[in-house]
Amino acid sequence: MTLFVALVALAITLLYIYVLYLRVELGLMSLLATSFLNLVFGLDSSILGGIHLNLLDVVSVCMIIAGCIRTAQSLDRLNAIRIIALLYVAVLAFSVVRGFFSNGLMITFNESRGITGQLLCMLYFLTAPSDEKSLRKYVRIYLFYGAALCAVAALAAMGLSVGTNVSAAMETDGRFLPASGVAGIAVCGFLSLALLRYRQGGLKNQLILVMYMFIAVYLRHRSVWTMLLVGTIVLLPLDRRLFRRLLPFALAAGALVAVLVLYGGSAQGGGSSDQFSKSATDDSTWVWRVNGWKELLLDDEQKALSV
């Protein structure tokens, strides 16, 4: 019976990889759906042969395998971007092999999940179709993902156990999604500019853009603030018309945040001015990152480690 279940699971997995190889939009939907579940409810890892795996890991591995097949078939159409990507993949592969000989198979596999995102970009999405019809599909899928995250943030503000409310340590923080989720909403803010650029605007599309920008700012992640600022500045030399179009909506989102902070901060789950000030000035995460870099690069005597 166990063997039969294993064979069925293997057949389903191989079929899924084949479909991922054929349809990139299915891969994007699978990745965003599992990322959404992970952000909203938290996906518990199961230990399989000493390796910690959750649904997001399984989907990512299947997409990487499909990406390897897609990349192998495009080797006859190499360009500068693909050569750089393949070199980057080679560096990551070397790091994994080196980690295997230094730390063993299980530790290497468990720690290498941190590079799955880069591998997905270089192997799977770099070979995705880039015609206008396909791009419209990708944008539409991602905008639905962002809208779902906005709905989760609203539910968390009402006290439901979703988003960061799943973790008791972050329940009183007032930031109802982790930074990765809010970054996704910020990306949707920029993508929704396409609705205004390639369509006739309209109140609905304008409100969609303001909603994404407002929530991305209001959830108080400095990394996302930086992302929004840099993205807006980069628009200026790339497309001045689009920059001028974004500016009033960004100002409107900022005004909404200010009003809500000043007059709604006392409400349940509302972000107060003190919380915004703390988000802007707290350097604990920066210190934590610097100390982590030092541990990677320096030994106990503060001397550079050999590679």
Side-chain angles (χ1 to χ4, degrees):
M1 184 64 182
T2 303
L3 178 60
F4 175 75
V5 171
L7 290 175
V8 171
L10 178 61
I12 293 174
T13 302
L14 292 175
L15 178 61
Y16 178 57
I17 292 172
Y18 177 68
V19 177
L20 288 175
Y21 158 73
L22 294 177
R23 304 292 298 271
V24 173
E25 60 269 25
L26 176 64
L28 179 60
M29 286 189 288
S30 299
L31 184 62
L32 293 181
T34 49
S35 298
F36 176 78
L37 292 174
N38 190 40
L39 289 169
V40 176
F41 303 110
L43 296 177
D44 294 329
S45 298
S46 300
I47 300 179
L48 181 63
I51 300 173
H52 293 265
L53 290 174
N54 59 28
L55 182 60
L56 182 58
D57 296 323
V58 174
V59 170
S60 298
V61 170
C62 291
M63 291 179 67
I64 289 172
I65 295 173
C68 289
I69 300 172
R70 293 178 63 88
T71 300
Q73 292 193 335
S74 66
L75 290 178
D76 58 338
R77 302 186 300 274
L78 287 179
N79 53 30
I81 298 297
R82 289 183 178 178
I83 291 173
I84 293 172
L86 289 175
L87 290 174
Y88 187 74
V89 170
V91 171
L92 293 179
F94 173 76
S95 300
V96 171
V97 172
R98 185 171 179 270
F100 167 70
F101 286 108
S102 300
N103 304 300
L105 181 64
M106 300 307 172
I107 294 177
T108 301
F109 272 122
N110 287 327
E111 295 299 324
S112 63
R113 59 161 47 98
I115 65 172
T116 54
Q118 296 94 309
L119 288 175
L120 283 175
C121 290
M122 301 299 168
L123 294 174
Y124 191 76
F125 290 112
L126 193 60
T127 60
S130 56
D131 58 280
E132 183 176 344
K133 183 178 179 181
S134 297
L135 292 177
R136 288 179 183 273
K137 288 181 181 178
Y138 307 151
V139 169
R140 201 156 41 238
I141 292 169
Y142 211 98
L143 288 177
F144 277 117
Y145 169 68
L149 288 176
C150 292
V152 169
L155 293 174
M158 291 187 287
L160 274 69
S161 183
V162 292
T164 54
N165 285 355
V166 173
S167 172
M170 301 184 71
E171 187 172 355
T172 59
D173 188 279
R175 297 187 288 188
F176 305 115
L177 289 171
S180 57
V182 183
I185 294 175
V187 169
C188 288
F190 288 110
L191 290 178
S192 60
L193 281 172
L195 299 177
L196 299 177
R197 177 64 184 270
Y198 298 108
R199 298 183 184 178
Q200 291 299 319
L203 180 61
K204 182 185 75 171
N205 294 332
Q206 293 174 359
L207 290 176
I208 289 173
L209 174 56
V210 172
M211 176 192 71
Y212 284 132
M213 291 294 183
F214 163 70
I215 294 179
V217 174
Y218 184 71
L219 293 184
R220 304 191 335 272
H221 289 282
R222 281 181 303 179
S223 56
V224 179
W225 291 350
T226 304
M227 175 180 167
L228 287 169
L229 179 62
V230 172
T232 303
I233 293 173
V234 167
L235 274 179
L236 183 58
L238 291 179
D239 193 328
R240 291 178 182 272
R241 183 181 175 186
L242 204 57
F243 175 82
R244 290 194 299 268
R245 205 155 192 177
L246 172 65
L247 208 53
F249 298 107
L251 293 175
L256 280 175
V257 170
V259 169
L260 198 57
V261 169
L262 292 175
Y263 298 103
S266 59
Q268 179 183 2
S272 67
S273 57
D274 290 340
Q275 288 176 318
F276 269 82
S277 177
K278 181 180 178 181
S279 295
T281 58
D282 186 13
D283 63 350
S284 58
T285 55
W286 170 255
V287 172
W288 171 74
R289 287 185 176 92
V290 171
N291 290 335
W293 295 333
K294 287 181 178 179
E295 290 180 3
L296 286 174
L297 300 175
L298 304 175
D299 59 18
D300 294 336
E301 299 178 357
Q302 297 298 298
K303 294 181 180 179
L305 290 169
S306 59
V307 178

PDB file of all heavy atoms in Angstrom, residues 96-128:
ATOM      1  N   VAL A  96      26.516  25.216  -2.914  1.00  0.00           N
ATOM      2  CA  VAL A  96      25.795  24.063  -2.365  1.00  0.00           C
ATOM      3  C   VAL A  96      26.727  22.859  -2.243  1.00  0.00           C
ATOM      4  O   VAL A  96      26.722  22.147  -1.226  1.00  0.00           O
ATOM      5  CB  VAL A  96      24.574  23.732  -3.246  1.00  0.00           C
ATOM      6  CG1 VAL A  96      23.944  22.404  -2.810  1.00  0.00           C
ATOM      7  CG2 VAL A  96      23.543  24.845  -3.169  1.00  0.00           C
ATOM      8  N   VAL A  97      27.527  22.605  -3.273  1.00  0.00           N
ATOM      9  CA  VAL A  97      28.466  21.478  -3.239  1.00  0.00           C
ATOM     10  C   VAL A  97      29.483  21.671  -2.123  1.00  0.00           C
ATOM     11  O   VAL A  97      29.804  20.729  -1.376  1.00  0.00           O
ATOM     12  CB  VAL A  97      29.174  21.334  -4.605  1.00  0.00           C
ATOM     13  CG1 VAL A  97      30.286  20.286  -4.523  1.00  0.00           C
ATOM     14  CG2 VAL A  97      28.165  20.936  -5.673  1.00  0.00           C
ATOM     15  N   ARG A  98      29.994  22.883  -1.994  1.00  0.00           N
ATOM     16  CA  ARG A  98      30.963  23.174  -0.929  1.00  0.00           C
ATOM     17  C   ARG A  98      30.319  22.983   0.446  1.00  0.00           C
ATOM     18  O   ARG A  98      30.931  22.451   1.379  1.00  0.00           O
ATOM     19  CB  ARG A  98      31.464  24.608  -1.075  1.00  0.00           C
ATOM     20  CG  ARG A  98      32.569  24.991  -0.098  1.00  0.00           C
ATOM     21  CD  ARG A  98      33.146  26.347  -0.457  1.00  0.00           C
ATOM     22  NE  ARG A  98      34.181  26.743   0.475  1.00  0.00           N
ATOM     23  CZ  ARG A  98      33.959  27.434   1.587  1.00  0.00           C
ATOM     24  NH1 ARG A  98      32.723  27.809   1.891  1.00  0.00           N
ATOM     25  NH2 ARG A  98      34.950  27.752   2.390  1.00  0.00           N
ATOM     26  N   GLY A  99      29.046  23.414   0.587  1.00  0.00           N
ATOM     27  CA  GLY A  99      28.343  23.218   1.849  1.00  0.00           C
ATOM     28  C   GLY A  99      28.121  21.753   2.161  1.00  0.00           C
ATOM     29  O   GLY A  99      28.193  21.332   3.314  1.00  0.00           O
ATOM     30  N   PHE A 100      27.890  20.948   1.107  1.00  0.00           N
ATOM     31  CA  PHE A 100      27.702  19.512   1.308  1.00  0.00           C
ATOM     32  C   PHE A 100      28.956  18.873   1.901  1.00  0.00           C
ATOM     33  O   PHE A 100      28.887  18.085   2.853  1.00  0.00           O
ATOM     34  CB  PHE A 100      27.343  18.858  -0.021  1.00  0.00           C
ATOM     35  CG  PHE A 100      27.426  17.364  -0.015  1.00  0.00           C
ATOM     36  CD1 PHE A 100      26.513  16.605   0.683  1.00  0.00           C
ATOM     37  CD2 PHE A 100      28.444  16.704  -0.695  1.00  0.00           C
ATOM     38  CE1 PHE A 100      26.594  15.215   0.697  1.00  0.00           C
ATOM     39  CE2 PHE A 100      28.527  15.333  -0.684  1.00  0.00           C
ATOM     40  CZ  PHE A 100      27.608  14.577   0.005  1.00  0.00           C
ATOM     41  N   PHE A 101      30.122  19.210   1.362  1.00  0.00           N
ATOM     42  CA  PHE A 101      31.363  18.623   1.869  1.00  0.00           C
ATOM     43  C   PHE A 101      31.749  19.183   3.242  1.00  0.00           C
ATOM     44  O   PHE A 101      32.413  18.499   4.023  1.00  0.00           O
ATOM     45  CB  PHE A 101      32.507  18.850   0.874  1.00  0.00           C
ATOM     46  CG  PHE A 101      32.422  17.983  -0.351  1.00  0.00           C
ATOM     47  CD1 PHE A 101      32.075  18.520  -1.577  1.00  0.00           C
ATOM     48  CD2 PHE A 101      32.649  16.612  -0.276  1.00  0.00           C
ATOM     49  CE1 PHE A 101      31.986  17.724  -2.711  1.00  0.00           C
ATOM     50  CE2 PHE A 101      32.558  15.805  -1.393  1.00  0.00           C
ATOM     51  CZ  PHE A 101      32.222  16.363  -2.618  1.00  0.00           C
ATOM     52  N   SER A 102      31.310  20.404   3.552  1.00  0.00           N
ATOM     53  CA  SER A 102      31.676  21.011   4.827  1.00  0.00           C
ATOM     54  C   SER A 102      30.714  20.650   5.949  1.00  0.00           C
ATOM     55  O   SER A 102      31.125  20.461   7.094  1.00  0.00           O
ATOM     56  CB  SER A 102      31.725  22.541   4.691  1.00  0.00           C
ATOM     57  OG  SER A 102      32.671  22.939   3.723  1.00  0.00           O
ATOM     58  N   ASN A 103      29.403  20.548   5.633  1.00  0.00           N
ATOM     59  CA  ASN A 103      28.392  20.412   6.682  1.00  0.00           C
ATOM     60  C   ASN A 103      27.506  19.179   6.549  1.00  0.00           C
ATOM     61  O   ASN A 103      26.688  18.929   7.428  1.00  0.00           O
ATOM     62  CB  ASN A 103      27.488  21.658   6.687  1.00  0.00           C
ATOM     63  CG  ASN A 103      28.280  22.933   6.860  1.00  0.00           C
ATOM     64  OD1 ASN A 103      28.969  23.120   7.843  1.00  0.00           O
ATOM     65  ND2 ASN A 103      28.173  23.839   5.887  1.00  0.00           N
ATOM     66  N   GLY A 104      27.631  18.440   5.470  1.00  0.00           N
ATOM     67  CA  GLY A 104      26.800  17.262   5.300  1.00  0.00           C
ATOM     68  C   GLY A 104      25.562  17.550   4.474  1.00  0.00           C
ATOM     69  O   GLY A 104      25.189  18.704   4.233  1.00  0.00           O
ATOM     70  N   LEU A 105      24.897  16.487   4.060  1.00  0.00           N
ATOM     71  CA  LEU A 105      23.786  16.595   3.120  1.00  0.00           C
ATOM     72  C   LEU A 105      22.567  17.266   3.736  1.00  0.00           C
ATOM     73  O   LEU A 105      21.983  18.179   3.144  1.00  0.00           O
ATOM     74  CB  LEU A 105      23.410  15.191   2.613  1.00  0.00           C
ATOM     75  CG  LEU A 105      22.272  15.113   1.600  1.00  0.00           C
ATOM     76  CD1 LEU A 105      22.664  15.839   0.319  1.00  0.00           C
ATOM     77  CD2 LEU A 105      21.914  13.657   1.306  1.00  0.00           C
ATOM     78  N   MET A 106      22.152  16.852   4.945  1.00  0.00           N
ATOM     79  CA  MET A 106      20.910  17.337   5.528  1.00  0.00           C
ATOM     80  C   MET A 106      20.983  18.820   5.839  1.00  0.00           C
ATOM     81  O   MET A 106      20.062  19.590   5.511  1.00  0.00           O
ATOM     82  CB  MET A 106      20.576  16.537   6.798  1.00  0.00           C
ATOM     83  CG  MET A 106      20.394  15.055   6.546  1.00  0.00           C
ATOM     84  SD  MET A 106      19.192  14.742   5.220  1.00  0.00           S
ATOM     85  CE  MET A 106      19.386  12.968   5.012  1.00  0.00           C
ATOM     86  N   ILE A 107      22.064  19.259   6.480  1.00  0.00           N
ATOM     87  CA  ILE A 107      22.202  20.678   6.818  1.00  0.00           C
ATOM     88  C   ILE A 107      22.236  21.527   5.551  1.00  0.00           C
ATOM     89  O   ILE A 107      21.618  22.592   5.477  1.00  0.00           O
ATOM     90  CB  ILE A 107      23.477  20.907   7.656  1.00  0.00           C
ATOM     91  CG1 ILE A 107      23.337  20.220   9.014  1.00  0.00           C
ATOM     92  CG2 ILE A 107      23.750  22.392   7.841  1.00  0.00           C
ATOM     93  CD1 ILE A 107      24.564  20.331   9.887  1.00  0.00           C
ATOM     94  N   THR A 108      22.936  21.038   4.533  1.00  0.00           N
ATOM     95  CA  THR A 108      23.037  21.788   3.278  1.00  0.00           C
ATOM     96  C   THR A 108      21.675  21.954   2.626  1.00  0.00           C
ATOM     97  O   THR A 108      21.308  23.057   2.188  1.00  0.00           O
ATOM     98  CB  THR A 108      23.993  21.074   2.310  1.00  0.00           C
ATOM     99  OG1 THR A 108      25.278  20.960   2.921  1.00  0.00           O
ATOM    100  CG2 THR A 108      24.118  21.867   1.013  1.00  0.00           C
ATOM    101  N   PHE A 109      20.890  20.883   2.565  1.00  0.00           N
ATOM    102  CA  PHE A 109      19.573  20.985   1.959  1.00  0.00           C
ATOM    103  C   PHE A 109      18.659  21.909   2.753  1.00  0.00           C
ATOM    104  O   PHE A 109      17.915  22.712   2.187  1.00  0.00           O
ATOM    105  CB  PHE A 109      18.929  19.599   1.835  1.00  0.00           C
ATOM    106  CG  PHE A 109      19.288  18.886   0.561  1.00  0.00           C
ATOM    107  CD1 PHE A 109      19.912  17.645   0.589  1.00  0.00           C
ATOM    108  CD2 PHE A 109      19.013  19.456  -0.668  1.00  0.00           C
ATOM    109  CE1 PHE A 109      20.254  16.995  -0.585  1.00  0.00           C
ATOM    110  CE2 PHE A 109      19.346  18.805  -1.855  1.00  0.00           C
ATOM    111  CZ  PHE A 109      19.971  17.575  -1.807  1.00  0.00           C
ATOM    112  N   ASN A 110      18.712  21.800   4.089  1.00  0.00           N
ATOM    113  CA  ASN A 110      17.852  22.648   4.911  1.00  0.00           C
ATOM    114  C   ASN A 110      18.216  24.122   4.795  1.00  0.00           C
ATOM    115  O   ASN A 110      17.342  24.994   4.805  1.00  0.00           O
ATOM    116  CB  ASN A 110      17.936  22.202   6.379  1.00  0.00           C
ATOM    117  CG  ASN A 110      17.209  20.891   6.627  1.00  0.00           C
ATOM    118  OD1 ASN A 110      16.206  20.595   5.989  1.00  0.00           O
ATOM    119  ND2 ASN A 110      17.727  20.078   7.537  1.00  0.00           N
ATOM    120  N   GLU A 111      19.504  24.410   4.683  1.00  0.00           N
ATOM    121  CA  GLU A 111      19.943  25.807   4.602  1.00  0.00           C
ATOM    122  C   GLU A 111      19.850  26.370   3.190  1.00  0.00           C
ATOM    123  O   GLU A 111      19.809  27.590   3.021  1.00  0.00           O
ATOM    124  CB  GLU A 111      21.392  25.925   5.103  1.00  0.00           C
ATOM    125  CG  GLU A 111      21.581  25.590   6.573  1.00  0.00           C
ATOM    126  CD  GLU A 111      20.791  26.517   7.488  1.00  0.00           C
ATOM    127  OE1 GLU A 111      20.679  27.713   7.168  1.00  0.00           O
ATOM    128  OE2 GLU A 111      20.261  26.036   8.510  1.00  0.00           O
ATOM    129  N   SER A 112      19.825  25.516   2.185  1.00  0.00           N
ATOM    130  CA  SER A 112      19.837  26.010   0.802  1.00  0.00           C
ATOM    131  C   SER A 112      18.481  26.519   0.348  1.00  0.00           C
ATOM    132  O   SER A 112      18.367  27.064  -0.756  1.00  0.00           O
ATOM    133  CB  SER A 112      20.304  24.900  -0.151  1.00  0.00           C
ATOM    134  OG  SER A 112      19.406  23.801  -0.132  1.00  0.00           O
ATOM    135  N   ARG A 113      17.423  26.376   1.169  1.00  0.00           N
ATOM    136  CA  ARG A 113      16.127  26.914   0.764  1.00  0.00           C
ATOM    137  C   ARG A 113      16.187  28.435   0.615  1.00  0.00           C
ATOM    138  O   ARG A 113      15.347  29.025  -0.061  1.00  0.00           O
ATOM    139  CB  ARG A 113      15.030  26.521   1.753  1.00  0.00           C
ATOM    140  CG  ARG A 113      15.262  26.992   3.175  1.00  0.00           C
ATOM    141  CD  ARG A 113      13.959  26.977   3.984  1.00  0.00           C
ATOM    142  NE  ARG A 113      13.210  25.769   3.845  1.00  0.00           N
ATOM    143  CZ  ARG A 113      13.235  24.764   4.709  1.00  0.00           C
ATOM    144  NH1 ARG A 113      14.036  24.831   5.758  1.00  0.00           N
ATOM    145  NH2 ARG A 113      12.483  23.699   4.533  1.00  0.00           N
ATOM    146  N   GLY A 114      17.201  29.065   1.206  1.00  0.00           N
ATOM    147  CA  GLY A 114      17.339  30.512   1.074  1.00  0.00           C
ATOM    148  C   GLY A 114      17.703  30.966  -0.325  1.00  0.00           C
ATOM    149  O   GLY A 114      17.560  32.156  -0.649  1.00  0.00           O
ATOM    150  N   ILE A 115      18.172  30.063  -1.178  1.00  0.00           N
ATOM    151  CA  ILE A 115      18.563  30.457  -2.537  1.00  0.00           C
ATOM    152  C   ILE A 115      17.564  29.986  -3.588  1.00  0.00           C
ATOM    153  O   ILE A 115      17.800  30.167  -4.778  1.00  0.00           O
ATOM    154  CB  ILE A 115      19.972  29.917  -2.889  1.00  0.00           C
ATOM    155  CG1 ILE A 115      19.964  28.384  -2.932  1.00  0.00           C
ATOM    156  CG2 ILE A 115      21.015  30.433  -1.920  1.00  0.00           C
ATOM    157  CD1 ILE A 115      21.268  27.781  -3.450  1.00  0.00           C
ATOM    158  N   THR A 116      16.448  29.399  -3.148  1.00  0.00           N
ATOM    159  CA  THR A 116      15.482  28.906  -4.133  1.00  0.00           C
ATOM    160  C   THR A 116      14.887  30.049  -4.956  1.00  0.00           C
ATOM    161  O   THR A 116      14.586  29.879  -6.138  1.00  0.00           O
ATOM    162  CB  THR A 116      14.352  28.115  -3.453  1.00  0.00           C
ATOM    163  OG1 THR A 116      13.762  28.928  -2.426  1.00  0.00           O
ATOM    164  CG2 THR A 116      14.882  26.837  -2.833  1.00  0.00           C
ATOM    165  N   GLY A 117      14.701  31.216  -4.332  1.00  0.00           N
ATOM    166  CA  GLY A 117      14.151  32.349  -5.070  1.00  0.00           C
ATOM    167  C   GLY A 117      15.035  32.763  -6.222  1.00  0.00           C
ATOM    168  O   GLY A 117      14.565  33.008  -7.346  1.00  0.00           O
ATOM    169  N   GLN A 118      16.348  32.831  -5.969  1.00  0.00           N
ATOM    170  CA  GLN A 118      17.285  33.194  -7.037  1.00  0.00           C
ATOM    171  C   GLN A 118      17.287  32.149  -8.144  1.00  0.00           C
ATOM    172  O   GLN A 118      17.327  32.495  -9.340  1.00  0.00           O
ATOM    173  CB  GLN A 118      18.701  33.341  -6.472  1.00  0.00           C
ATOM    174  CG  GLN A 118      18.868  34.460  -5.466  1.00  0.00           C
ATOM    175  CD  GLN A 118      18.710  34.009  -4.033  1.00  0.00           C
ATOM    176  OE1 GLN A 118      17.727  33.363  -3.693  1.00  0.00           O
ATOM    177  NE2 GLN A 118      19.661  34.333  -3.199  1.00  0.00           N
ATOM    178  N   LEU A 119      17.233  30.869  -7.765  1.00  0.00           N
ATOM    179  CA  LEU A 119      17.228  29.811  -8.778  1.00  0.00           C
ATOM    180  C   LEU A 119      15.962  29.865  -9.628  1.00  0.00           C
ATOM    181  O   LEU A 119      16.007  29.650 -10.836  1.00  0.00           O
ATOM    182  CB  LEU A 119      17.349  28.444  -8.095  1.00  0.00           C
ATOM    183  CG  LEU A 119      18.718  28.108  -7.496  1.00  0.00           C
ATOM    184  CD1 LEU A 119      18.654  26.789  -6.750  1.00  0.00           C
ATOM    185  CD2 LEU A 119      19.784  28.049  -8.582  1.00  0.00           C
ATOM    186  N   LEU A 120      14.816  30.158  -8.976  1.00  0.00           N
ATOM    187  CA  LEU A 120      13.569  30.271  -9.729  1.00  0.00           C
ATOM    188  C   LEU A 120      13.658  31.396 -10.757  1.00  0.00           C
ATOM    189  O   LEU A 120      13.213  31.254 -11.895  1.00  0.00           O
ATOM    190  CB  LEU A 120      12.407  30.534  -8.776  1.00  0.00           C
ATOM    191  CG  LEU A 120      11.885  29.326  -7.992  1.00  0.00           C
ATOM    192  CD1 LEU A 120      10.826  29.757  -6.992  1.00  0.00           C
ATOM    193  CD2 LEU A 120      11.310  28.292  -8.933  1.00  0.00           C
ATOM    194  N   CYS A 121      14.250  32.518 -10.345  1.00  0.00           N
ATOM    195  CA  CYS A 121      14.374  33.647 -11.277  1.00  0.00           C
ATOM    196  C   CYS A 121      15.279  33.290 -12.452  1.00  0.00           C
ATOM    197  O   CYS A 121      14.963  33.576 -13.612  1.00  0.00           O
ATOM    198  CB  CYS A 121      14.933  34.870 -10.544  1.00  0.00           C
ATOM    199  SG  CYS A 121      13.788  35.602  -9.381  1.00  0.00           S
ATOM    200  N   MET A 122      16.419  32.657 -12.151  1.00  0.00           N
ATOM    201  CA  MET A 122      17.421  32.412 -13.190  1.00  0.00           C
ATOM    202  C   MET A 122      17.055  31.244 -14.106  1.00  0.00           C
ATOM    203  O   MET A 122      17.382  31.261 -15.297  1.00  0.00           O
ATOM    204  CB  MET A 122      18.779  32.129 -12.537  1.00  0.00           C
ATOM    205  CG  MET A 122      19.289  33.239 -11.657  1.00  0.00           C
ATOM    206  SD  MET A 122      19.516  34.770 -12.577  1.00  0.00           S
ATOM    207  CE  MET A 122      19.766  35.928 -11.243  1.00  0.00           C
ATOM    208  N   LEU A 123      16.383  30.243 -13.563  1.00  0.00           N
ATOM    209  CA  LEU A 123      16.114  29.042 -14.346  1.00  0.00           C
ATOM    210  C   LEU A 123      14.703  28.987 -14.920  1.00  0.00           C
ATOM    211  O   LEU A 123      14.494  28.509 -16.030  1.00  0.00           O
ATOM    212  CB  LEU A 123      16.354  27.793 -13.490  1.00  0.00           C
ATOM    213  CG  LEU A 123      17.797  27.549 -13.051  1.00  0.00           C
ATOM    214  CD1 LEU A 123      17.846  26.365 -12.090  1.00  0.00           C
ATOM    215  CD2 LEU A 123      18.696  27.294 -14.253  1.00  0.00           C
ATOM    216  N   TYR A 124      13.729  29.461 -14.163  1.00  0.00           N
ATOM    217  CA  TYR A 124      12.333  29.306 -14.596  1.00  0.00           C
ATOM    218  C   TYR A 124      11.785  30.576 -15.244  1.00  0.00           C
ATOM    219  O   TYR A 124      11.383  30.573 -16.411  1.00  0.00           O
ATOM    220  CB  TYR A 124      11.462  28.907 -13.402  1.00  0.00           C
ATOM    221  CG  TYR A 124      10.066  28.480 -13.794  1.00  0.00           C
ATOM    222  CD1 TYR A 124       9.837  27.228 -14.350  1.00  0.00           C
ATOM    223  CD2 TYR A 124       8.977  29.327 -13.609  1.00  0.00           C
ATOM    224  CE1 TYR A 124       8.560  26.835 -14.721  1.00  0.00           C
ATOM    225  CE2 TYR A 124       7.695  28.937 -13.969  1.00  0.00           C
ATOM    226  CZ  TYR A 124       7.488  27.691 -14.530  1.00  0.00           C
ATOM    227  OH  TYR A 124       6.219  27.306 -14.898  1.00  0.00           O
ATOM    228  N   PHE A 125      11.803  31.672 -14.521  1.00  0.00           N
ATOM    229  CA  PHE A 125      11.141  32.870 -15.027  1.00  0.00           C
ATOM    230  C   PHE A 125      11.952  33.591 -16.094  1.00  0.00           C
ATOM    231  O   PHE A 125      11.391  34.366 -16.871  1.00  0.00           O
ATOM    232  CB  PHE A 125      10.810  33.812 -13.868  1.00  0.00           C
ATOM    233  CG  PHE A 125       9.727  33.289 -12.976  1.00  0.00           C
ATOM    234  CD1 PHE A 125      10.001  32.912 -11.671  1.00  0.00           C
ATOM    235  CD2 PHE A 125       8.435  33.132 -13.449  1.00  0.00           C
ATOM    236  CE1 PHE A 125       9.002  32.422 -10.852  1.00  0.00           C
ATOM    237  CE2 PHE A 125       7.429  32.631 -12.642  1.00  0.00           C
ATOM    238  CZ  PHE A 125       7.710  32.278 -11.338  1.00  0.00           C
ATOM    239  N   LEU A 126      13.261  33.358 -16.158  1.00  0.00           N
ATOM    240  CA  LEU A 126      14.048  33.997 -17.211  1.00  0.00           C
ATOM    241  C   LEU A 126      13.696  33.449 -18.587  1.00  0.00           C
ATOM    242  O   LEU A 126      13.896  34.123 -19.598  1.00  0.00           O
ATOM    243  CB  LEU A 126      15.547  33.811 -16.945  1.00  0.00           C
ATOM    244  CG  LEU A 126      16.485  34.684 -17.778  1.00  0.00           C
ATOM    245  CD1 LEU A 126      16.219  36.156 -17.528  1.00  0.00           C
ATOM    246  CD2 LEU A 126      17.939  34.358 -17.487  1.00  0.00           C
ATOM    247  N   THR A 127      13.152  32.239 -18.625  1.00  0.00           N
ATOM    248  CA  THR A 127      12.756  31.638 -19.908  1.00  0.00           C
ATOM    249  C   THR A 127      11.268  31.820 -20.200  1.00  0.00           C
ATOM    250  O   THR A 127      10.745  31.230 -21.139  1.00  0.00           O
ATOM    251  CB  THR A 127      13.077  30.126 -19.901  1.00  0.00           C
ATOM    252  OG1 THR A 127      12.339  29.494 -18.836  1.00  0.00           O
ATOM    253  CG2 THR A 127      14.563  29.882 -19.690  1.00  0.00           C
ATOM    254  N   ALA A 128      10.584  32.613 -19.385  1.00  0.00           N
ATOM    255  CA  ALA A 128       9.145  32.814 -19.572  1.00  0.00           C
ATOM    256  C   ALA A 128       8.874  33.643 -20.828  1.00  0.00           C
ATOM    257  O   ALA A 128       9.666  34.516 -21.186  1.00  0.00           O
ATOM    258  CB  ALA A 128       8.553  33.517 -18.354  1.00  0.00           C
TER     259      ALA A 128
END
